Amino acid sequence: MQLYRVLTGPDDSSFCHRVSEALSKDWRLYGDPSYAHDPVAGTMRVAQAVVKTVQGAKYSSDMKLGEQ
């Protein structure tokens, strides 16, 4: 089964650490990152999609994708 999730956050090192953690857990980058300006906070936000193949699992909307 293929899992998909999108990581989002401020454009800073904490976001890079979240993506790096996902990669260390066998998630793979899916496409290019996206950037957008948050006019309320006055900062840049970033998003990165990641995918992971999990053998022998069945999808459930109760899955905690970050724990996979």
Side-chain angles (χ1 to χ4, degrees), residues 19-58:
V19 173
S20 295
E21 178 183 23
L23 295 173
S24 76
K25 294 180 178 179
D26 296 326
W27 290 85
R28 295 182 317 281
L29 299 177
Y30 185 79
D32 295 328
S34 296
Y35 294 91
H37 183 258
D38 179 348
V40 174
T43 61
M44 293 299 291
R45 305 279 299 170
V46 64
Q48 175 65 60
V50 292
V51 293
K52 181 178 184 178
T53 301
V54 178
Q55 301 297 328
K58 289 193 174 199

